[in-house]
Amino acid sequence: MAEKKFFLTTPIFYPNANLHLGHAYTTVLSDIVVRYHRLQKERVYFLTGADENTQKIVIAAREAGKPPQKFLDARVEGFKKLFADLNISYNQFIRTSDKEVHWPGAQKLWQKLAEAGDIYKKEYEGLYCVGHEAFLTSKELINGKCPEHGTSPERIKEENYFFRLSKYTSEIKKRIEFGELRVIPETRKNEILSLLEEGLQDVSFSRPKTASSIGIPVPDDDSQVMYVWCDALSNYITALGYGRDEKLFAEFWPADVHVIGKDILRFHAAIWPGMLLSAGLPLPKTLFVHGFITSGGKKMSKTLGNVIDPTELLQEYGTDAVRYYLARHVSPFEDGDITHEGFKSIYNGDLANGLGNLASRVMTLAQTHLPGPVKVEFVPYPKEFTDALEKFEVNRATDYVWGRIGELDKKITETEPFKLIKTDPEKGKSLISDLVRELAAVDLLLEPILPGTSKKIIEAIIANKKPENLFPRKE
Ligand code: ME8
């Protein structure tokens, strides 16, 4: 049988600001899942990137006193640096400003929608929120302001192209209801189904081109540029060569999973399937929708000054400490809170005293008492662990690993190998060899979650030597 393919995407992030811990969460969760699928010997493609053709960039670049493209390049370098520091194993980083990689496919997709009769011109008046990059209804405003961004939307009256999304309401609803397009978790599925119940409105899909606007020209009409969400969503197929060189597209589309946050569910579960249906393309198999990380009980925001910068945590604690925290202590389904104090106490408890101490205890015993390295064998992953990862529940998978760490710690305390080795050296050695084998089995489970640490531990086992201090205690 041909090996299974697995195509996973993250959202493409806006480079108007630096990435914060929320963006890191989406990306680390995705990375753990793809690493697991690679270890299952599947053919994996992992896509991430930057969403650049947005009005936010024009504004941010102007504030920074830089030309937009220079501004974008610097920000994208920052994204890539962060992803390298988080050990993110993406196959491709797409930039929607890339005229060779992204634009031909975005324009081809537009043409498909037009050929299907789903694009039409209309005079439109509405309230546009740049923060959302979307029109809001007056019902959504509080005191005339967008409740999420705290800004007054612009009243815009212009002629735009519209996408006939309303036409696809019942088809999308059916696909989601019957699980052909799975929306996980159930609460998000219900949320989108009730939205579909009300019926979808057609959406404005272009904006008039102005002197300062950036964006992909609408095919056959240079006076308009594509609406940023129409442009951005198409990245999931243009990255694979749609409209350019369709080899990867044929191999990997449809996506096995789009990982997204709850804020962009509507775009991914309504507009995107609508576009694909209109173009006659298969729908993604799964949308995995995670909750939000809050800081001190509040949404992270520049104005509140409570944004948690992953770079600071990485400098202080290292790559795998940040991966560990995000993997285990943030629930993928609910909003989760993080504070600096909480991070430190978990670091000391679970990593310094937990995993780090265990690896050091076992390998000190092995180095002192065994004549050479213990031969370790591959142990298949237990079902509890694979089940959790198949469902994207990296927190449960990590709980399982820490359960095993606790058991191994307990076994050392109960069997007292440091005493046994004196009273009965043969039995003592055999016990220590067992402990090394069990450490190796735990280490294998760590590979997708903490790849750097996992490598250090297996190298120590192979060399029969105590590893360097993996997680120094923080006072
Ligand atoms: O929406 N907690 O980009 P974006 C958890 N460009 N995750 C969070 C988060 C938080 N507090 N804040 C952000 C866009 N995220 C569009 C997407 S896709 C075709 C276009 C994560 O930079 C989460 O994944 O605003 C959320 O969906 C995404 O960042 C939004 O990133």
Side-chain angles (χ1 to χ4, degrees), residues 46 129 385 389 455:
F46 177 15
C129 170
F385 183 72
L389 286 175
K455 184 152 175 281

Side-chain angles (χ1 to χ4, degrees), residues 167-338:
K167 178 171 150 189
Y168 295 100
T169 302
S170 67
E171 185 61 26
I172 297 169
K173 189 155 165 269
K174 208 172 83 195
R175 303 277 185 121
I176 293 177
E177 256 166 5
F178 291 109
E180 282 165 54
L181 168 54
R182 288 198 301 162
V183 180
I184 304 175
E186 196 71 16
T187 46
R188 300 294 167 207
K189 176 177 173 179
N190 294 336
E191 179 184 327
I192 196 70
L193 284 174
S194 63
L195 190 92
L196 287 160
E197 196 57 51
E198 290 168 25
L200 298 172
Q201 308 268 324
D202 292 353
V203 274
S204 160
F205 246 33
S206 73
R207 303 286 311 274
K209 188 174 160 61
T210 63
S212 68
S213 64
I214 48 178
I216 308 180
V218 165
D220 305 319
D221 186 350
D222 269 353
S223 71
Q224 297 260 329
V225 292
M226 285 183 199
Y227 169 50
V228 61
W229 273 99
C230 158
D231 157 348
L233 289 162
S234 70
N235 95 86
Y236 298 133
I237 60 176
T238 64
L240 298 178
Y242 179 77
R244 175 166 53 85
D245 164 3
E246 300 195 352
K247 201 171 138 275
L248 280 178
F249 180 67
E251 189 176 342
F252 285 105
W253 190 256
D256 293 272
V257 52
H258 292 314
V259 176
I260 57 170
K262 63 177 183 180
D263 54 331
I264 54 178
L265 173 62
R266 196 160 54 95
F267 298 98
H268 284 79
I271 300 183
W272 181 226
M275 291 167 73
L276 291 166
L277 287 169
S278 170
L281 294 171
L283 301 194
K285 293 182 195 157
T286 303
L287 292 179
F288 184 76
V289 191
H290 67 70
F292 260 36
I293 299 181
T294 56
S295 156
K298 298 205 174 68
K299 188 180 150 71
M300 278 189 261
S301 89
K302 265 194 204 158
T303 13
L304 288 176
N306 65 345
V307 174
I308 297 203
D309 178 358
T311 312
E312 263 173 50
L313 291 176
L314 283 163
Q315 266 164 7
E316 173 77 13
Y317 297 96
T319 301
D320 279 354
V322 177
R323 288 179 66 105
Y324 171 76
Y325 187 94
L326 296 176
R328 184 159 183 220
H329 293 283
V330 177
S331 153
F333 300 142
E334 288 143 46
D335 290 353
D337 198 60
I338 171 175

